[in-house]
Amino acid sequence: MALLRPGETCSRIDSADRVAFLVDVQDYFCAVSEALQRARRSILLLGWGFDPRTRLRPDGFDGPDDPDEIGQVLLRLAREQPDLDIRVLIWKSALPIAASQEFFPHRARQWFRGARVHFWLDDMVPLGGCHHQKVLVIDDAVAFCGSGDFGTDRWDSPAHLDTDSRRIDPDQHQHPPRHEVMMMVDGEAAKALGDLARERWRRATGETAPPPPPADHDPWPPSTRPHLEGASVAIVRTDPAWRGRPLVREWEALTLASIASARRCLYLENQYFTAPDIAEAIARRLAEPDGPEVILVSTERSPSWFDRLTMDRTRSMVIRRLKAADVFGRFRAWCPETPAGHTVIVHAKVTIVDDQLARIGSANLNNRSTGFDTECELAIEASDEVSALAIVTLRNRLVGHYMGRNADDIAGAVERHGGLIGAVEALNTHGRLRPIQPLTLGQAAGFVAAYHLGDPRGVDDAWRPFKRRRMLDARVRAIAGASHGAAS
């Protein structure tokens, strides 16, 4: 049975003539820079954060008013093309988060005041929730979706060097290496993301943004070659039940279906891993004698104190659960490092199932992404040998780039060693993928982890941690019971 089912595990499936997988922000920002210059009718941007000082090509110009800053690029396009409709919709972040971003995107409003760039901060989420979708649509003809925001600490190359003069913020301080993944699509799939962005705009502003007329040009960035042609692309969402809107849990449904369908390898890249129902579903697969390998690539230690307090502690509990279930030795949790041993921040949100399914989006493997924050993901299910090869090549490319290896290196090692775990352990000669060790939890940290503080599953338990604990325990028992019944 197909994993992508509209109305259940996705909202819709549309065609794309071209699909590209953009690994790390260097490739993403390069493609964005070229595509923006080719825009003629509309630019729609959804983001969690936004800093107009973000440079798209940091190895280019210098100076305080760099023409490659995203804010300057949008202002110039608005001046030069009066018919170009530019809309930027960013989450109106809570004060502590805004403070950590130098009060961007709030200050970004001043950049666009009086200009033809429509900039809006979106607070249409439950108290404590956030808009987490990261989508850019150009002329309804080319669209990007994934983990990347426009922030001054986002840029990095796939080499993840120890020091890189291009990886600097506006104060000339070097920020840590960082890993992001985006998917770029064209055709009807791009138009579908345009529909999603316009609906968000209507909710936030009360204003209807008309779709652009059909493009009579091609805004696809010429330097980016597609990795797949003629694909069907699904949009997968999370949307909380709030102000009369129905709860949308497509992302969670697809995640559980993905875990259940994996035959040989479930590959995950994610910033967090705290959702107990997802962990329990994986634990059940690890307990099967012929179940899949499960590989998690994540950051060793979150950069913010709040995430270290909440997400890192709870992830330790999850990793312990999976290690206990891993009686056949098929689970690995790795954190990537630079050649000199500095942490690479893994902000990507990727799920790859065998050569069957590739998913790239904004959702974390935590409770919030299942029903409290808004999320958007693109997914492709293999329909033939060509698409299956593109999916497994993406996986090999991702895991290989951490070790300075290419996709062919990984493919050959997988064949020689009988699986991805054996391949990595054979090629990881410099130790750039290091095992994540669970933290020792004290009494306070244990309480945070047990009640998932800061990580509600939905509006109903957002401010009720004791109710959350009961709800999550019930979910875990239900999943365990369903798995046991299926095994019987």
Side-chain angles (χ1 to χ4, degrees):
M1 184 172 71
L3 288 172
L4 298 175
R5 301 183 291 274
E8 183 182 348
T9 60
C10 64
S11 63
R12 55 191 290 180
I13 301 175
D14 296 274
S15 62
D17 296 324
R18 292 167 291 189
V19 176
F21 306 120
L22 306 176
V23 177
D24 292 306
V25 171
Q26 182 180 43
D27 286 353
Y28 173 42
F29 280 3
C30 179
V32 167
S33 179
E34 292 183 0
L36 288 176
Q37 304 310 317
R38 302 163 79 87
R40 297 294 179 269
R41 298 295 183 221
S42 71
I43 297 171
L44 297 168
L45 173 61
L46 306 180
W48 175 85
F50 178 83
D51 191 325
R53 303 171 299 171
T54 303
R55 299 188 61 186
L56 301 179
R57 294 179 179 270
D59 48 1
F61 301 95
D62 295 314
D65 297 318
D66 292 340
D68 67 336
E69 290 180 346
I70 182 64
Q72 296 290 347
V73 169
L74 295 178
L75 287 170
R76 179 177 57 76
L77 290 172
R79 288 193 304 269
E80 295 177 354
Q81 300 190 52
D83 294 333
L84 183 58
D85 183 23
I86 304 175
R87 299 173 190 262
V88 181
L89 185 64
I90 307 298
W91 174 50
K92 188 175 183 179
S93 55
L95 183 62
I97 295 176
S100 71
Q101 302 170 327
E102 299 182 63
F103 292 97
F104 285 103
H106 298 68
R107 289 168 57 191
R109 289 181 290 193
Q110 300 299 323
W111 279 62
F112 302 119
R113 194 177 300 278
R116 291 186 52 260
V117 176
H118 306 282
F119 183 88
W120 194 271
L121 294 180
D122 188 351
D123 61 357
M124 291 294 162
V125 285
L127 181 64
C130 77
H131 284 300
H132 201 237
Q133 298 167 332
K134 298 109 187 301
V135 173
L136 173 63
V137 187
I138 297 173
D139 292 344
D140 267 22
V142 166
F144 305 80
C145 178
S147 64
D149 280 296
F150 290 91
T152 58
D153 62 348
R154 262 46 178 180
W155 192 96
D156 199 7
S157 75
H160 303 305
L161 302 174
D162 292 290
T163 59
D164 193 325
S165 61
R166 301 165 296 177
R167 203 171 62 225
I168 57 173
D169 63 24
D171 296 326
Q172 303 301 302
H173 297 139
Q174 186 161 152
H175 60 81
R178 192 178 186 96
H179 174 62
E180 310 273 8
V181 180
M182 303 291 290
M183 189 186 300
M184 179 169 61
V185 297
D186 68 357
E188 291 300 310
K191 183 179 182 301
L193 283 172
D195 292 341
L196 180 146
R198 283 183 288 273
E199 173 58 19
R200 266 278 308 276
W201 184 269
R202 185 194 64 78
R203 288 186 194 176
T205 68
E207 177 188 30
T208 299
D216 56 2
H217 65 293
D218 184 9
W220 184 275
S223 68
T224 303
R225 295 180 59 185
H227 296 100
L228 192 57
E229 297 182 350
S232 295
V233 181
I235 294 179
V236 185
R237 304 166 300 158
T238 297
D239 204 1
W242 191 65
R243 292 193 174 182
R245 296 201 305 268
L247 175 63
V248 177
R249 290 194 189 272
E250 295 161 358
W251 180 85
E252 182 186 40
L254 181 56
T255 298
L256 295 175
S258 299
I259 294 166
S261 71
R263 302 182 307 277
R264 297 179 302 279
C265 181
L266 177 65
Y267 178 79
L268 305 166
E269 291 189 351
N270 214 276
Q271 182 181 14
Y272 306 129
F273 190 10
T274 64
D277 53 346
I278 295 173
E280 189 61 33
I282 292 175
R284 295 293 163 176
R285 297 305 314 277
L286 290 172
E288 297 173 10
D290 56 350
E293 294 183 327
V294 179
I295 292 96
L296 169 69
V297 179
S298 187
T299 309
E300 179 183 28
R301 184 170 179 264
S302 295
S304 81
W305 69 268
F306 181 80
D307 289 347
R308 290 194 294 271
L309 174 67
T310 56
M311 301 299 171
D312 288 6
R313 264 67 177 178
T314 311
R315 184 184 68 182
S316 291
M317 186 173 65
V318 167
I319 289 177
R320 279 199 180 87
R321 168 69 180 110
L322 296 184
K323 284 180 175 291
D326 186 28
V327 293
F328 299 101
R330 297 196 310 266
F331 172 66
R332 298 291 188 277
W334 287 313
C335 55
E337 295 181 341
T338 66
H342 301 300
T343 296
V344 176
I345 297 172
V346 177
H347 191 252
K349 297 93 168 59
V350 176
T351 300
I352 300 178
V353 180
D354 301 321
D355 56 358
Q356 175 188 15
L357 183 70
R359 302 167 54 193
I360 296 171
S362 65
N364 291 303
L365 291 166
N366 59 3
N367 291 323
R368 302 181 65 96
S369 289
T370 67
F372 194 51
D373 298 335
T374 61
E375 306 286 3
C376 183
E377 176 182 86
L378 296 182
I380 294 176
E381 192 167 11
S383 58
D384 53 28
E385 291 184 2
V386 173
S387 53
L389 179 61
I391 289 170
V392 79
T393 300
L394 170 63
R395 185 203 69 188
N396 292 343
R397 177 185 171 197
L398 285 169
V399 74
H401 95 283
Y402 294 116
M403 301 180 290
R405 309 279 187 168
N406 61 37
D408 289 342
D409 293 336
I410 302 300
V414 167
E415 185 173 353
R416 289 192 302 273
H417 297 279
L420 187 59
I421 290 176
V424 171
E425 292 180 342
L427 296 179
N428 191 28
T429 53
H430 298 290
R432 290 187 59 184
L433 281 173
R434 193 162 54 79
I436 298 175
Q437 301 298 338
L439 302 169
T440 300
L441 302 183
Q443 187 173 2
F447 179 83
V448 169
Y451 289 90
H452 294 262
L453 300 187
D455 191 21
R457 180 172 160 78
V459 176
D460 288 346
D461 72 319
W463 302 99
R464 302 178 179 91
F466 291 95
K467 180 179 181 180
R468 180 178 315 142
R469 177 65 182 271
R470 293 194 299 270
M471 293 170 62
L472 291 172
D473 286 348
R475 286 278 302 169
V476 167
R477 286 195 298 272
I479 291 171
S483 301
H484 180 73
S488 300

Tab-separated table of all heavy atoms in Angstrom, residues 356-385:
chain	number	residue	atom	x	y	z
A	356	GLN	N	12.618	3.868	-0.749
A	356	GLN	CA	11.180	3.951	-0.960
A	356	GLN	C	10.618	5.353	-0.781
A	356	GLN	O	9.729	5.777	-1.517
A	356	GLN	CB	10.500	3.002	0.041
A	356	GLN	CG	8.988	3.041	0.046
A	356	GLN	CD	8.400	2.217	1.183
A	356	GLN	OE1	9.114	1.848	2.125
A	356	GLN	NE2	7.115	1.929	1.113
A	357	LEU	N	11.119	6.107	0.207
A	357	LEU	CA	10.486	7.371	0.579
A	357	LEU	C	11.540	8.364	1.046
A	357	LEU	O	12.403	8.022	1.861
A	357	LEU	CB	9.479	7.134	1.711
A	357	LEU	CG	8.658	8.345	2.181
A	357	LEU	CD1	7.650	8.756	1.120
A	357	LEU	CD2	7.956	8.036	3.498
A	358	ALA	N	11.458	9.597	0.535
A	358	ALA	CA	12.314	10.693	0.988
A	358	ALA	C	11.426	11.840	1.455
A	358	ALA	O	10.518	12.258	0.731
A	358	ALA	CB	13.237	11.168	-0.133
A	359	ARG	N	11.720	12.338	2.663
A	359	ARG	CA	10.926	13.421	3.272
A	359	ARG	C	11.873	14.514	3.762
A	359	ARG	O	12.823	14.248	4.488
A	359	ARG	CB	10.107	12.879	4.451
A	359	ARG	CG	9.168	11.751	4.082
A	359	ARG	CD	8.639	11.048	5.315
A	359	ARG	NE	8.027	11.984	6.250
A	359	ARG	CZ	7.706	11.675	7.507
A	359	ARG	NH1	7.961	10.469	7.979
A	359	ARG	NH2	7.149	12.577	8.278
A	360	ILE	N	11.575	15.750	3.376
A	360	ILE	CA	12.392	16.901	3.764
A	360	ILE	C	11.442	18.023	4.160
A	360	ILE	O	10.545	18.380	3.383
A	360	ILE	CB	13.299	17.351	2.603
A	360	ILE	CG1	14.298	16.254	2.251
A	360	ILE	CG2	14.017	18.655	2.950
A	360	ILE	CD1	15.084	16.528	0.981
A	361	GLY	N	11.617	18.563	5.359
A	361	GLY	CA	10.698	19.609	5.784
A	361	GLY	C	11.174	20.326	7.021
A	361	GLY	O	12.379	20.423	7.296
A	362	SER	N	10.186	20.812	7.791
A	362	SER	CA	10.468	21.653	8.957
A	362	SER	C	10.236	20.943	10.282
A	362	SER	O	10.595	21.467	11.334
A	362	SER	CB	9.577	22.902	8.911
A	362	SER	OG	8.197	22.539	9.051
A	363	ALA	N	9.620	19.764	10.272
A	363	ALA	CA	9.140	19.142	11.509
A	363	ALA	C	10.251	18.412	12.253
A	363	ALA	O	11.033	17.668	11.669
A	363	ALA	CB	7.999	18.177	11.206
A	364	ASN	N	10.286	18.625	13.568
A	364	ASN	CA	11.207	17.912	14.440
A	364	ASN	C	10.571	16.623	14.948
A	364	ASN	O	9.339	16.467	14.927
A	364	ASN	CB	11.597	18.787	15.631
A	364	ASN	CG	12.457	19.961	15.225
A	364	ASN	OD1	13.509	19.790	14.624
A	364	ASN	ND2	12.003	21.173	15.535
A	365	LEU	N	11.412	15.731	15.445
A	365	LEU	CA	10.916	14.484	16.032
A	365	LEU	C	10.574	14.717	17.500
A	365	LEU	O	11.066	14.044	18.406
A	365	LEU	CB	11.972	13.386	15.895
A	365	LEU	CG	12.230	12.890	14.469
A	365	LEU	CD1	13.506	12.062	14.416
A	365	LEU	CD2	11.049	12.098	13.946
A	366	ASN	N	9.719	15.703	17.725
A	366	ASN	CA	9.274	16.003	19.080
A	366	ASN	C	7.757	16.106	19.112
A	366	ASN	O	7.080	16.024	18.076
A	366	ASN	CB	9.939	17.275	19.621
A	366	ASN	CG	9.665	18.512	18.775
A	366	ASN	OD1	8.925	18.457	17.796
A	366	ASN	ND2	10.266	19.633	19.143
A	367	ASN	N	7.209	16.281	20.308
A	367	ASN	CA	5.751	16.360	20.437
A	367	ASN	C	5.181	17.568	19.719
A	367	ASN	O	4.117	17.496	19.105
A	367	ASN	CB	5.356	16.406	21.915
A	367	ASN	CG	5.615	15.104	22.633
A	367	ASN	OD1	5.433	14.027	22.080
A	367	ASN	ND2	6.058	15.205	23.883
A	368	ARG	N	5.857	18.706	19.846
A	368	ARG	CA	5.337	19.955	19.287
A	368	ARG	C	5.011	19.822	17.804
A	368	ARG	O	4.008	20.347	17.319
A	368	ARG	CB	6.346	21.083	19.484
A	368	ARG	CG	6.755	21.381	20.902
A	368	ARG	CD	7.727	22.541	20.937
A	368	ARG	NE	7.089	23.756	20.483
A	368	ARG	CZ	6.545	24.664	21.296
A	368	ARG	NH1	6.582	24.497	22.602
A	368	ARG	NH2	5.973	25.737	20.802
A	369	SER	N	5.874	19.126	17.085
A	369	SER	CA	5.695	19.022	15.638
A	369	SER	C	4.563	18.095	15.244
A	369	SER	O	4.187	18.044	14.066
A	369	SER	CB	6.996	18.558	14.977
A	369	SER	OG	7.973	19.579	15.018
A	370	THR	N	4.008	17.344	16.201
A	370	THR	CA	2.903	16.442	15.875
A	370	THR	C	1.547	17.115	15.969
A	370	THR	O	0.574	16.595	15.421
A	370	THR	CB	2.903	15.209	16.796
A	370	THR	OG1	2.611	15.612	18.139
A	370	THR	CG2	4.242	14.495	16.763
A	371	GLY	N	1.439	18.275	16.672
A	371	GLY	CA	0.114	18.857	16.794
A	371	GLY	C	0.028	20.214	17.445
A	371	GLY	O	-1.075	20.710	17.683
A	372	PHE	N	1.176	20.861	17.748
A	372	PHE	CA	1.132	22.152	18.440
A	372	PHE	C	1.696	23.296	17.604
A	372	PHE	O	1.213	24.415	17.662
A	372	PHE	CB	1.899	22.049	19.757
A	372	PHE	CG	1.652	23.184	20.701
A	372	PHE	CD1	0.361	23.578	21.034
A	372	PHE	CD2	2.702	23.877	21.277
A	372	PHE	CE1	0.124	24.629	21.910
A	372	PHE	CE2	2.482	24.923	22.163
A	372	PHE	CZ	1.184	25.300	22.472
A	373	ASP	N	2.727	23.023	16.822
A	373	ASP	CA	3.302	24.016	15.915
A	373	ASP	C	2.833	23.733	14.493
A	373	ASP	O	2.459	22.607	14.174
A	373	ASP	CB	4.835	23.969	15.953
A	373	ASP	CG	5.402	24.309	17.319
A	373	ASP	OD1	4.718	25.019	18.082
A	373	ASP	OD2	6.523	23.856	17.626
A	374	THR	N	2.882	24.738	13.636
A	374	THR	CA	2.611	24.488	12.215
A	374	THR	C	3.887	23.971	11.560
A	374	THR	O	4.982	24.443	11.845
A	374	THR	CB	2.140	25.760	11.494
A	374	THR	OG1	3.154	26.761	11.568
A	374	THR	CG2	0.857	26.292	12.103
A	375	GLU	N	3.732	22.986	10.685
A	375	GLU	CA	4.865	22.387	9.993
A	375	GLU	C	4.497	22.129	8.537
A	375	GLU	O	3.313	21.995	8.195
A	375	GLU	CB	5.273	21.053	10.641
A	375	GLU	CG	5.559	21.091	12.131
A	375	GLU	CD	6.874	21.760	12.485
A	375	GLU	OE1	7.562	22.250	11.562
A	375	GLU	OE2	7.217	21.789	13.679
A	376	CYS	N	5.523	22.030	7.699
A	376	CYS	CA	5.319	21.705	6.285
A	376	CYS	C	6.501	20.878	5.794
A	376	CYS	O	7.661	21.207	6.069
A	376	CYS	CB	5.185	22.975	5.449
A	376	CYS	SG	4.849	22.667	3.699
A	377	GLU	N	6.190	19.828	5.078
A	377	GLU	CA	7.209	18.905	4.575
A	377	GLU	C	6.836	18.489	3.158
A	377	GLU	O	5.657	18.425	2.802
A	377	GLU	CB	7.246	17.679	5.493
A	377	GLU	CG	8.177	16.575	5.077
A	377	GLU	CD	8.108	15.393	6.029
A	377	GLU	OE1	7.234	14.523	5.845
A	377	GLU	OE2	8.918	15.363	6.981
A	378	LEU	N	7.849	18.202	2.351
A	378	LEU	CA	7.641	17.596	1.043
A	378	LEU	C	8.118	16.154	1.090
A	378	LEU	O	9.126	15.843	1.731
A	378	LEU	CB	8.409	18.349	-0.043
A	378	LEU	CG	7.983	19.796	-0.307
A	378	LEU	CD1	8.808	20.389	-1.448
A	378	LEU	CD2	6.494	19.899	-0.617
A	379	ALA	N	7.379	15.285	0.420
A	379	ALA	CA	7.709	13.856	0.428
A	379	ALA	C	7.582	13.293	-0.978
A	379	ALA	O	6.675	13.664	-1.729
A	379	ALA	CB	6.794	13.097	1.384
A	380	ILE	N	8.500	12.391	-1.293
A	380	ILE	CA	8.489	11.709	-2.593
A	380	ILE	C	8.569	10.216	-2.343
A	380	ILE	O	9.462	9.733	-1.631
A	380	ILE	CB	9.678	12.157	-3.463
A	380	ILE	CG1	9.530	13.642	-3.831
A	380	ILE	CG2	9.780	11.301	-4.716
A	380	ILE	CD1	10.707	14.182	-4.613
A	381	GLU	N	7.636	9.479	-2.939
A	381	GLU	CA	7.614	8.020	-2.838
A	381	GLU	C	8.076	7.437	-4.167
A	381	GLU	O	7.620	7.865	-5.240
A	381	GLU	CB	6.208	7.539	-2.498
A	381	GLU	CG	6.135	6.090	-2.097
A	381	GLU	CD	4.794	5.741	-1.457
A	381	GLU	OE1	3.860	6.573	-1.516
A	381	GLU	OE2	4.678	4.642	-0.893
A	382	ALA	N	8.977	6.469	-4.106
A	382	ALA	CA	9.545	5.893	-5.327
A	382	ALA	C	8.463	5.232	-6.158
A	382	ALA	O	7.630	4.475	-5.639
A	382	ALA	CB	10.640	4.898	-4.990
A	383	SER	N	8.493	5.504	-7.443
A	383	SER	CA	7.536	4.881	-8.363
A	383	SER	C	8.218	4.003	-9.395
A	383	SER	O	7.555	3.257	-10.117
A	383	SER	CB	6.731	5.973	-9.096
A	383	SER	OG	7.605	6.857	-9.801
A	384	ASP	N	9.545	4.097	-9.480
A	384	ASP	CA	10.295	3.292	-10.442
A	384	ASP	C	11.743	3.219	-9.975
A	384	ASP	O	12.117	3.756	-8.925
A	384	ASP	CB	10.197	3.877	-11.856
A	384	ASP	CG	10.579	5.351	-11.915
A	384	ASP	OD1	11.400	5.796	-11.069
A	384	ASP	OD2	10.065	6.070	-12.787
A	385	GLU	N	12.578	2.551	-10.760
A	385	GLU	CA	13.974	2.373	-10.372
A	385	GLU	C	14.733	3.699	-10.342
A	385	GLU	O	15.632	3.892	-9.519
A	385	GLU	CB	14.664	1.403	-11.338
A	385	GLU	CG	14.171	-0.034	-11.219
A	385	GLU	CD	14.940	-0.974	-12.123
A	385	GLU	OE1	15.882	-0.501	-12.809
A	385	GLU	OE2	14.619	-2.178	-12.140
